[in-house]
Amino acid sequence: MSTIGDNYLEVKKRVEQAALRCGRDPKEITLVAVSKTKGVEEIRQAVEAGAHILGENKVQEIQAKYDELPGVEWHLIGHLQTNKVKYIVDKVKMIHSLDSLKLAQEIDRRCAAAGVAMDVLVEVNIGGEESKSGVAPEEAEVLCLEAAKLPNIRVKGLMTVAPVVENPQDARVYFRKMNKLFVDIKAKNYDNIDMAYLSMGMTHDFEVAIEEGANIVRVGTAIFGARNYAV
Ligand SMILES: *Cc1c(COP(=O)(O)O)cnc(C)c1O
């Protein structure tokens, strides 16, 4: 059986190969190892293999693991409730899941109090799915602009979770739409908006996402194995 360290290296290699296949520099693609539901010992194996950016979708999990894993960078990738913002502004480097102005205002307020600035990505519900968070594609630009007015927020790009499809090729259309949205906003060169990152692609579809322009991929299962939500 392969170890978590082996899995991490294998995913890293697949990311690089996908980049090279489409003529991109592998160095421009960031791999976020999604460690949700996984324990510190498992996560440490990935860190020892080279993972230095960890993604979690729950505030409580970051709080629980933070002190045990010094020196890594944490990204919050799941839906964030305004009442939990205060617990993580001093712990995470980037919030991928900005989905309302109200949340942006709370992040700004808590960052001001903590004396930090936060990198954020606006989450887009590209498939228009009822079950998913994120703003509608046509609302993304306005949220970027509104968030960019807040002094302690740095708008850094867009994020999406594509609809679940059996064949990863079927996710391509969504990634392509995201990339178009990203490129369109970037081309406008708005003040205080640095369209640097397009975060999309997970275990099932990260290679297709890279082919369509992702420069952050968030991979959990392929590194850590299946999640057990019952524990
Ligand atoms: C869980 C999760 C991932 C990783 O999913 P895998 O399919 O396990 O790679 C990526 N992004 C978000 C927002 C997630 O919640």
Side-chain angles (χ1 to χ4, degrees):
M1 226 184 93
S2 62
T3 66
I4 289 171
D6 295 338
N7 294 345
Y8 174 78
L9 294 174
E10 177 64 26
V11 169
K12 187 86 189 145
K13 193 164 85 194
R14 283 172 58 196
V15 165
E16 286 166 8
Q17 285 167 345
L20 292 172
R21 270 201 310 276
C22 54
R24 300 180 60 193
D25 180 353
K27 285 202 287 294
E28 61 177 59
I29 297 168
T30 299
L31 171 58
V32 174
V34 178
S35 50
K36 63 190 188 202
T37 79
K38 299 297 173 179
V40 168
E41 282 318 312
E42 292 165 289
I43 301 170
R44 201 167 276 139
Q45 292 177 42
V47 171
E48 277 165 12
H52 60 281
I53 305 179
L54 301 176
E56 289 281 349
N57 63 352
K58 289 210 173 93
V59 166
Q60 303 90 291
E61 284 199 65
I62 294 178
Q63 287 178 291
K65 299 170 192 176
Y66 185 80
D67 287 336
E68 306 280 333
L69 293 156
V72 301
E73 184 177 308
W74 295 94
H75 288 200
L76 187 85
I77 61 174
H79 179 67
L80 177 58
Q81 288 170 280
T82 49
N83 63 353
K84 303 230 170 100
V85 171
K86 57 177 177 283
Y87 301 119
I88 50 136
V89 286
D90 61 338
K91 296 189 173 61
V92 308
K93 174 72 172 57
M94 185 181 280
I95 295 172
H96 289 226
S97 45
L98 182 69
D99 58 1
S100 73
L101 181 57
K102 188 168 140 256
L103 177 59
Q105 287 164 336
E106 178 64 6
I107 295 169
D108 181 59
R109 192 167 80 88
R110 294 294 178 174
C111 282
V116 295
M118 184 64 68
D119 291 350
V120 303
L121 307 180
V122 166
E123 181 174 358
V124 180
N125 183 353
I126 198 67
E129 294 171 284
E130 201 78 48
S131 60
K132 293 243 166 88
S133 33
V135 298
E138 56 279 11
E139 292 164 4
E141 186 167 339
V142 172
L143 183 53
C144 285
L145 285 165
E146 290 297 317
K149 290 181 192 157
L150 302 168
N152 302 289
I153 289 206
R154 295 191 290 232
V155 177
K156 288 284 180 183
L158 303 179
M159 177 274 221
T160 200
V161 178
V164 175
V165 288
E166 191 149 341
N167 181 344
Q169 293 300 334
D170 295 335
R172 186 179 298 280
V173 53
Y174 300 107
F175 295 140
R176 196 166 282 180
K177 275 192 200 158
M178 278 301 295
N179 191 42
K180 181 168 189 319
L181 194 56
F182 177 76
V183 168
D184 285 351
I185 298 173
K186 191 185 176 104
K188 294 183 184 169
N189 279 315
Y190 288 121
D191 283 348
N192 295 323
I193 296 182
D194 174 21
M195 275 286 153
Y197 300 112
L198 180 55
S199 168
M200 57 186 192
M202 310 178 9
T203 289
H204 189 54
D205 54 18
F206 70 86
E207 284 146 319
V208 178
I210 289 168
E211 287 165 15
E212 297 301 330
N215 58 10
I216 300 181
V217 293
R218 310 174 309 265
V219 179
T221 308
I223 297 172
F224 295 103
R227 286 178 289 271
N228 181 358
Y229 286 101
V231 292

mmCIF file of all heavy atoms in Angstrom, residues 32-36 55-57 76-79 96-97 123 159-161 199 201-206 217-223 225-227 229, ligand 1:
data_model
loop_
_atom_site.group_PDB
_atom_site.id
_atom_site.type_symbol
_atom_site.label_atom_id
_atom_site.label_comp_id
_atom_site.label_asym_id
_atom_site.label_seq_id
_atom_site.Cartn_x
_atom_site.Cartn_y
_atom_site.Cartn_z
ATOM 1 N N VAL A 32 -2.588 22.692 -2.942
ATOM 2 C CA VAL A 32 -3.066 22.767 -1.567
ATOM 3 C C VAL A 32 -3.478 21.357 -1.153
ATOM 4 O O VAL A 32 -4.329 20.737 -1.795
ATOM 5 C CB VAL A 32 -4.257 23.741 -1.439
ATOM 6 C CG1 VAL A 32 -4.839 23.706 -0.024
ATOM 7 C CG2 VAL A 32 -3.844 25.166 -1.805
ATOM 8 N N ALA A 33 -2.863 20.849 -0.099
ATOM 9 C CA ALA A 33 -3.204 19.514 0.397
ATOM 10 C C ALA A 33 -4.386 19.654 1.361
ATOM 11 O O ALA A 33 -4.274 20.287 2.407
ATOM 12 C CB ALA A 33 -1.997 18.900 1.117
ATOM 13 N N VAL A 34 -5.507 19.084 0.965
ATOM 14 C CA VAL A 34 -6.742 19.261 1.756
ATOM 15 C C VAL A 34 -6.818 18.192 2.840
ATOM 16 O O VAL A 34 -7.042 17.015 2.558
ATOM 17 C CB VAL A 34 -7.983 19.230 0.837
ATOM 18 C CG1 VAL A 34 -9.259 19.353 1.675
ATOM 19 C CG2 VAL A 34 -7.910 20.365 -0.195
ATOM 20 N N SER A 35 -6.623 18.646 4.073
ATOM 21 C CA SER A 35 -6.435 17.717 5.192
ATOM 22 C C SER A 35 -7.662 17.581 6.081
ATOM 23 O O SER A 35 -7.577 17.037 7.186
ATOM 24 C CB SER A 35 -5.228 18.173 6.014
ATOM 25 O OG SER A 35 -5.326 19.553 6.337
ATOM 26 N N LYS A 36 -8.802 18.044 5.602
ATOM 27 C CA LYS A 36 -10.015 17.994 6.441
ATOM 28 C C LYS A 36 -10.316 16.562 6.870
ATOM 29 O O LYS A 36 -10.124 15.629 6.083
ATOM 30 C CB LYS A 36 -11.202 18.600 5.692
ATOM 31 C CG LYS A 36 -11.598 17.856 4.432
ATOM 32 C CD LYS A 36 -12.617 18.658 3.626
ATOM 33 C CE LYS A 36 -13.152 17.840 2.469
ATOM 34 N NZ LYS A 36 -13.712 18.670 1.390
ATOM 35 N N GLY A 55 -5.211 22.804 3.315
ATOM 36 C CA GLY A 55 -6.546 23.371 3.176
ATOM 37 C C GLY A 55 -7.518 22.673 4.105
ATOM 38 O O GLY A 55 -7.513 21.446 4.230
ATOM 39 N N GLU A 56 -8.341 23.464 4.768
ATOM 40 C CA GLU A 56 -9.363 22.923 5.667
ATOM 41 C C GLU A 56 -10.663 23.641 5.363
ATOM 42 O O GLU A 56 -10.655 24.812 5.003
ATOM 43 C CB GLU A 56 -8.986 23.191 7.137
ATOM 44 C CG GLU A 56 -7.807 22.371 7.640
ATOM 45 C CD GLU A 56 -8.184 20.933 8.003
ATOM 46 O OE1 GLU A 56 -9.379 20.617 8.070
ATOM 47 O OE2 GLU A 56 -7.245 20.129 8.220
ATOM 48 N N ASN A 57 -11.784 22.947 5.551
ATOM 49 C CA ASN A 57 -13.023 23.685 5.330
ATOM 50 C C ASN A 57 -13.792 24.000 6.598
ATOM 51 O O ASN A 57 -14.853 24.586 6.523
ATOM 52 C CB ASN A 57 -13.898 23.059 4.238
ATOM 53 C CG ASN A 57 -14.372 21.683 4.598
ATOM 54 O OD1 ASN A 57 -13.928 21.119 5.601
ATOM 55 N ND2 ASN A 57 -15.262 21.141 3.798
ATOM 56 N N LEU A 76 -8.287 28.473 4.300
ATOM 57 C CA LEU A 76 -9.668 28.078 4.570
ATOM 58 C C LEU A 76 -10.390 27.974 3.233
ATOM 59 O O LEU A 76 -10.468 28.948 2.484
ATOM 60 C CB LEU A 76 -10.384 29.083 5.480
ATOM 61 C CG LEU A 76 -11.751 28.515 5.851
ATOM 62 C CD1 LEU A 76 -11.644 27.584 7.045
ATOM 63 C CD2 LEU A 76 -12.771 29.582 6.107
ATOM 64 N N ILE A 77 -10.902 26.786 2.949
ATOM 65 C CA ILE A 77 -11.489 26.560 1.622
ATOM 66 C C ILE A 77 -12.996 26.313 1.675
ATOM 67 O O ILE A 77 -13.654 26.269 0.645
ATOM 68 C CB ILE A 77 -10.792 25.385 0.902
ATOM 69 C CG1 ILE A 77 -10.943 24.083 1.693
ATOM 70 C CG2 ILE A 77 -9.310 25.706 0.679
ATOM 71 C CD1 ILE A 77 -10.399 22.864 0.951
ATOM 72 N N GLY A 78 -13.548 26.147 2.887
ATOM 73 C CA GLY A 78 -14.975 25.859 3.003
ATOM 74 C C GLY A 78 -15.779 27.080 3.393
ATOM 75 O O GLY A 78 -15.221 28.133 3.725
ATOM 76 N N HIS A 79 -17.074 26.932 3.378
ATOM 77 C CA HIS A 79 -17.972 28.043 3.722
ATOM 78 C C HIS A 79 -17.644 28.572 5.116
ATOM 79 O O HIS A 79 -17.458 27.811 6.058
ATOM 80 C CB HIS A 79 -19.424 27.549 3.668
ATOM 81 C CG HIS A 79 -20.394 28.625 4.021
ATOM 82 N ND1 HIS A 79 -20.584 29.725 3.226
ATOM 83 C CD2 HIS A 79 -21.194 28.797 5.093
ATOM 84 C CE1 HIS A 79 -21.480 30.517 3.781
ATOM 85 N NE2 HIS A 79 -21.866 29.977 4.914
ATOM 86 N N HIS A 96 -10.464 31.045 0.662
ATOM 87 C CA HIS A 96 -10.873 30.793 -0.731
ATOM 88 C C HIS A 96 -12.368 31.000 -0.944
ATOM 89 O O HIS A 96 -12.831 30.879 -2.074
ATOM 90 C CB HIS A 96 -10.583 29.335 -1.109
ATOM 91 C CG HIS A 96 -9.136 28.992 -1.254
ATOM 92 N ND1 HIS A 96 -8.641 28.264 -2.319
ATOM 93 C CD2 HIS A 96 -8.061 29.242 -0.473
ATOM 94 C CE1 HIS A 96 -7.343 28.073 -2.177
ATOM 95 N NE2 HIS A 96 -6.959 28.645 -1.064
ATOM 96 N N SER A 97 -13.104 31.197 0.138
ATOM 97 C CA SER A 97 -14.553 31.040 0.078
ATOM 98 C C SER A 97 -15.321 32.311 0.429
ATOM 99 O O SER A 97 -16.332 32.254 1.102
ATOM 100 C CB SER A 97 -14.943 29.906 1.020
ATOM 101 O OG SER A 97 -14.248 30.037 2.257
ATOM 102 N N GLU A 123 -15.598 33.096 -4.124
ATOM 103 C CA GLU A 123 -16.086 31.780 -4.552
ATOM 104 C C GLU A 123 -17.277 31.939 -5.488
ATOM 105 O O GLU A 123 -18.247 32.642 -5.184
ATOM 106 C CB GLU A 123 -16.493 30.937 -3.335
ATOM 107 C CG GLU A 123 -16.985 29.557 -3.768
ATOM 108 C CD GLU A 123 -17.267 28.607 -2.609
ATOM 109 O OE1 GLU A 123 -17.056 28.962 -1.445
ATOM 110 O OE2 GLU A 123 -17.713 27.474 -2.921
ATOM 111 N N MET A 159 -12.363 31.338 -6.936
ATOM 112 C CA MET A 159 -12.350 29.917 -6.583
ATOM 113 C C MET A 159 -13.684 29.290 -6.982
ATOM 114 O O MET A 159 -14.709 29.965 -6.979
ATOM 115 C CB MET A 159 -12.130 29.791 -5.075
ATOM 116 C CG MET A 159 -12.158 28.385 -4.523
ATOM 117 S SD MET A 159 -13.808 27.776 -4.108
ATOM 118 C CE MET A 159 -13.483 26.933 -2.582
ATOM 119 N N THR A 160 -13.659 28.021 -7.328
ATOM 120 C CA THR A 160 -14.919 27.300 -7.517
ATOM 121 C C THR A 160 -14.776 25.838 -7.132
ATOM 122 O O THR A 160 -13.664 25.281 -7.132
ATOM 123 C CB THR A 160 -15.418 27.391 -8.977
ATOM 124 O OG1 THR A 160 -16.821 27.093 -9.006
ATOM 125 C CG2 THR A 160 -14.716 26.410 -9.915
ATOM 126 N N VAL A 161 -15.900 25.251 -6.787
ATOM 127 C CA VAL A 161 -16.028 23.798 -6.677
ATOM 128 C C VAL A 161 -16.962 23.400 -7.821
ATOM 129 O O VAL A 161 -18.135 23.758 -7.814
ATOM 130 C CB VAL A 161 -16.634 23.379 -5.317
ATOM 131 C CG1 VAL A 161 -16.797 21.862 -5.251
ATOM 132 C CG2 VAL A 161 -15.775 23.886 -4.162
ATOM 133 N N SER A 199 -8.441 29.245 -8.262
ATOM 134 C CA SER A 199 -8.396 28.021 -7.442
ATOM 135 C C SER A 199 -9.521 27.086 -7.865
ATOM 136 O O SER A 199 -10.696 27.344 -7.593
ATOM 137 C CB SER A 199 -8.543 28.416 -5.955
ATOM 138 O OG SER A 199 -8.777 27.286 -5.135
ATOM 139 N N GLY A 201 -10.258 22.646 -9.142
ATOM 140 C CA GLY A 201 -9.726 21.317 -9.396
ATOM 141 C C GLY A 201 -9.480 20.587 -8.089
ATOM 142 O O GLY A 201 -8.853 21.125 -7.178
ATOM 143 N N MET A 202 -10.045 19.364 -7.980
ATOM 144 C CA MET A 202 -9.918 18.526 -6.804
ATOM 145 C C MET A 202 -9.434 17.138 -7.267
ATOM 146 O O MET A 202 -9.033 16.975 -8.406
ATOM 147 C CB MET A 202 -11.260 18.462 -6.061
ATOM 148 C CG MET A 202 -11.793 19.869 -5.855
ATOM 149 S SD MET A 202 -13.393 20.195 -5.054
ATOM 150 C CE MET A 202 -13.960 18.698 -4.399
ATOM 151 N N THR A 203 -9.471 16.170 -6.375
ATOM 152 C CA THR A 203 -8.926 14.851 -6.718
ATOM 153 C C THR A 203 -9.396 14.340 -8.088
ATOM 154 O O THR A 203 -8.604 13.869 -8.905
ATOM 155 C CB THR A 203 -9.316 13.824 -5.627
ATOM 156 O OG1 THR A 203 -8.567 14.127 -4.451
ATOM 157 C CG2 THR A 203 -9.014 12.388 -6.063
ATOM 158 N N HIS A 204 -10.686 14.474 -8.316
ATOM 159 C CA HIS A 204 -11.295 13.860 -9.486
ATOM 160 C C HIS A 204 -10.968 14.599 -10.791
ATOM 161 O O HIS A 204 -10.995 14.009 -11.871
ATOM 162 C CB HIS A 204 -12.813 13.854 -9.251
ATOM 163 C CG HIS A 204 -13.594 13.079 -10.237
ATOM 164 N ND1 HIS A 204 -13.326 11.764 -10.537
ATOM 165 C CD2 HIS A 204 -14.656 13.429 -11.006
ATOM 166 C CE1 HIS A 204 -14.183 11.348 -11.439
ATOM 167 N NE2 HIS A 204 -15.000 12.322 -11.746
ATOM 168 N N ASP A 205 -10.665 15.892 -10.671
ATOM 169 C CA ASP A 205 -10.638 16.695 -11.901
ATOM 170 C C ASP A 205 -9.503 17.721 -11.969
ATOM 171 O O ASP A 205 -9.553 18.631 -12.801
ATOM 172 C CB ASP A 205 -11.999 17.402 -12.072
ATOM 173 C CG ASP A 205 -12.392 18.220 -10.846
ATOM 174 O OD1 ASP A 205 -11.504 18.529 -10.029
ATOM 175 O OD2 ASP A 205 -13.592 18.548 -10.708
ATOM 176 N N PHE A 206 -8.468 17.582 -11.115
ATOM 177 C CA PHE A 206 -7.476 18.666 -11.071
ATOM 178 C C PHE A 206 -6.661 18.801 -12.353
ATOM 179 O O PHE A 206 -6.228 19.894 -12.706
ATOM 180 C CB PHE A 206 -6.580 18.559 -9.825
ATOM 181 C CG PHE A 206 -5.610 17.412 -9.794
ATOM 182 C CD1 PHE A 206 -4.356 17.525 -10.382
ATOM 183 C CD2 PHE A 206 -5.942 16.223 -9.148
ATOM 184 C CE1 PHE A 206 -3.444 16.465 -10.335
ATOM 185 C CE2 PHE A 206 -5.045 15.175 -9.088
ATOM 186 C CZ PHE A 206 -3.802 15.281 -9.691
ATOM 187 N N VAL A 217 -4.682 24.182 -7.133
ATOM 188 C CA VAL A 217 -5.567 23.015 -7.084
ATOM 189 C C VAL A 217 -5.630 22.542 -5.636
ATOM 190 O O VAL A 217 -4.668 22.682 -4.875
ATOM 191 C CB VAL A 217 -5.109 21.869 -8.028
ATOM 192 C CG1 VAL A 217 -5.247 22.276 -9.487
ATOM 193 C CG2 VAL A 217 -3.684 21.422 -7.737
ATOM 194 N N ARG A 218 -6.786 22.027 -5.253
ATOM 195 C CA ARG A 218 -7.015 21.621 -3.857
ATOM 196 C C ARG A 218 -7.314 20.123 -3.845
ATOM 197 O O ARG A 218 -8.367 19.689 -4.270
ATOM 198 C CB ARG A 218 -8.212 22.389 -3.281
ATOM 199 C CG ARG A 218 -8.153 23.912 -3.502
ATOM 200 C CD ARG A 218 -9.448 24.565 -3.018
ATOM 201 N NE ARG A 218 -10.627 23.920 -3.554
ATOM 202 C CZ ARG A 218 -11.290 24.311 -4.645
ATOM 203 N NH1 ARG A 218 -10.906 25.372 -5.324
ATOM 204 N NH2 ARG A 218 -12.334 23.624 -5.067
ATOM 205 N N VAL A 219 -6.345 19.359 -3.362
ATOM 206 C CA VAL A 219 -6.473 17.899 -3.467
ATOM 207 C C VAL A 219 -6.424 17.247 -2.093
ATOM 208 O O VAL A 219 -5.465 17.434 -1.341
ATOM 209 C CB VAL A 219 -5.352 17.332 -4.381
ATOM 210 C CG1 VAL A 219 -5.461 15.814 -4.472
ATOM 211 C CG2 VAL A 219 -5.421 17.964 -5.775
ATOM 212 N N GLY A 220 -7.461 16.488 -1.778
ATOM 213 C CA GLY A 220 -7.525 15.785 -0.502
ATOM 214 C C GLY A 220 -7.412 14.282 -0.654
ATOM 215 O O GLY A 220 -6.405 13.667 -0.297
ATOM 216 N N THR A 221 -8.451 13.668 -1.199
ATOM 217 C CA THR A 221 -8.551 12.206 -1.245
ATOM 218 C C THR A 221 -7.341 11.532 -1.889
ATOM 219 O O THR A 221 -6.865 10.511 -1.386
ATOM 220 C CB THR A 221 -9.844 11.807 -1.996
ATOM 221 O OG1 THR A 221 -10.943 12.515 -1.400
ATOM 222 C CG2 THR A 221 -10.098 10.320 -1.912
ATOM 223 N N ALA A 222 -6.834 12.077 -2.969
ATOM 224 C CA ALA A 222 -5.710 11.442 -3.665
ATOM 225 C C ALA A 222 -4.439 11.452 -2.813
ATOM 226 O O ALA A 222 -3.524 10.669 -3.051
ATOM 227 C CB ALA A 222 -5.447 12.120 -5.014
ATOM 228 N N ILE A 223 -4.393 12.329 -1.823
ATOM 229 C CA ILE A 223 -3.226 12.382 -0.940
ATOM 230 C C ILE A 223 -3.474 11.573 0.344
ATOM 231 O O ILE A 223 -2.667 10.725 0.730
ATOM 232 C CB ILE A 223 -2.867 13.842 -0.570
ATOM 233 C CG1 ILE A 223 -2.478 14.637 -1.825
ATOM 234 C CG2 ILE A 223 -1.737 13.870 0.474
ATOM 235 C CD1 ILE A 223 -2.299 16.132 -1.594
ATOM 236 N N GLY A 225 -6.310 9.695 1.175
ATOM 237 C CA GLY A 225 -7.256 8.588 1.143
ATOM 238 C C GLY A 225 -8.661 9.079 1.446
ATOM 239 O O GLY A 225 -8.879 10.259 1.726
ATOM 240 N N ALA A 226 -9.609 8.165 1.383
ATOM 241 C CA ALA A 226 -11.016 8.534 1.575
ATOM 242 C C ALA A 226 -11.233 9.085 2.979
ATOM 243 O O ALA A 226 -10.540 8.728 3.914
ATOM 244 C CB ALA A 226 -11.907 7.324 1.338
ATOM 245 N N ARG A 227 -12.199 9.974 3.075
ATOM 246 C CA ARG A 227 -12.519 10.564 4.381
ATOM 247 C C ARG A 227 -13.602 9.757 5.070
ATOM 248 O O ARG A 227 -14.517 9.265 4.430
ATOM 249 C CB ARG A 227 -12.985 12.012 4.209
ATOM 250 C CG ARG A 227 -11.867 12.957 3.887
ATOM 251 C CD ARG A 227 -12.372 14.366 3.682
ATOM 252 N NE ARG A 227 -13.123 14.505 2.448
ATOM 253 C CZ ARG A 227 -12.591 14.808 1.268
ATOM 254 N NH1 ARG A 227 -11.292 14.981 1.142
ATOM 255 N NH2 ARG A 227 -13.344 14.910 0.205
ATOM 256 N N TYR A 229 -16.385 10.460 7.585
ATOM 257 C CA TYR A 229 -17.090 11.525 8.298
ATOM 258 C C TYR A 229 -17.760 11.028 9.567
ATOM 259 O O TYR A 229 -18.260 11.803 10.351
ATOM 260 C CB TYR A 229 -18.104 12.193 7.373
ATOM 261 C CG TYR A 229 -17.456 13.085 6.358
ATOM 262 C CD1 TYR A 229 -17.266 12.673 5.046
ATOM 263 C CD2 TYR A 229 -17.013 14.360 6.726
ATOM 264 C CE1 TYR A 229 -16.656 13.494 4.120
ATOM 265 C CE2 TYR A 229 -16.402 15.201 5.806
ATOM 266 C CZ TYR A 229 -16.237 14.755 4.506
ATOM 267 O OH TYR A 229 -15.637 15.570 3.586
HETATM 268 C C1 LIG B 1 -12.857 18.559 0.320
HETATM 269 C C2 LIG B 1 -12.546 19.684 -0.585
HETATM 270 C C3 LIG B 1 -11.543 19.576 -1.568
HETATM 271 C C4 LIG B 1 -10.755 18.298 -1.829
HETATM 272 O O1 LIG B 1 -11.573 17.293 -2.310
HETATM 273 P P1 LIG B 1 -10.977 15.889 -2.832
HETATM 274 O O2 LIG B 1 -11.990 15.423 -3.792
HETATM 275 O O3 LIG B 1 -10.869 15.024 -1.630
HETATM 276 O O4 LIG B 1 -9.675 16.157 -3.450
HETATM 277 C C5 LIG B 1 -11.287 20.682 -2.343
HETATM 278 N N1 LIG B 1 -11.968 21.833 -2.192
HETATM 279 C C6 LIG B 1 -12.937 21.977 -1.266
HETATM 280 C C7 LIG B 1 -13.635 23.276 -1.147
HETATM 281 C C8 LIG B 1 -13.259 20.911 -0.438
HETATM 282 O O5 LIG B 1 -14.228 21.066 0.479
#
